[in-house]
Amino acid sequence: MQTPHPYVGMWVTRDGHVRQELLANGRYDEARGARKSAYRGRYEVTGTHIEYWDDTGFTADGDFVDDVLYHGGMVFYRETQP
C-alpha cells in the first residue's frame, strides 16, 4: 500500500467559509458555508503542486507553500486537531 502524501487532511480558509478535505484515496470534498459537498472530484499531487478534476467537469490547480495551500485565488490553512 502506498503512503499518502503529506497534504491529506482538511484545509480551511481563515474565515472557515470554504473547507476542502483531501482524502487519501485521491478524492476531495469541498464545503462552502452551509453547503456541504459543494464540489467533489479527484486530485493529484506532484511535489507541492495539486491538480483538481471536479466531477462536474471543470479543472483547477494550486500550490502548497510552507504548509499553506494557494488555490483558486483563496488561501487555505491546514486544520489542526485539538
Side-chain angles (χ1 to χ4, degrees):
M1 182 173 183
Q2 187 177 22
T3 302
H5 60 76
Y7 304 118
V8 166
M10 185 66 74
W11 295 83
V12 268
T13 55
R14 189 164 308 277
D15 63 4
H17 182 74
V18 182
R19 302 174 55 81
Q20 186 178 97
E21 185 172 14
L22 300 179
L23 303 167
N25 65 358
R27 300 278 301 165
Y28 73 91
D29 192 317
E30 184 175 299
R32 299 225 173 183
R35 189 172 160 208
K36 294 182 178 185
S37 299
Y39 299 99
R40 292 182 186 171
R42 68 181 180 89
Y43 73 91
E44 289 180 13
V45 173
T46 304
T48 59
H49 185 76
I50 185 168
E51 294 278 343
Y52 299 89
W53 294 271
D54 187 82
D55 290 345
T56 63
F58 72 83
T59 61
D61 67 346
D63 292 288
F64 295 93
V65 178
D66 296 328
D67 213 33
V68 175
L69 170 57
Y70 296 89
H71 159 63
M74 295 178 281
V75 179
F76 291 83
Y77 300 90
R78 185 185 298 274
E79 182 176 75
T80 56
Q81 299 299 319

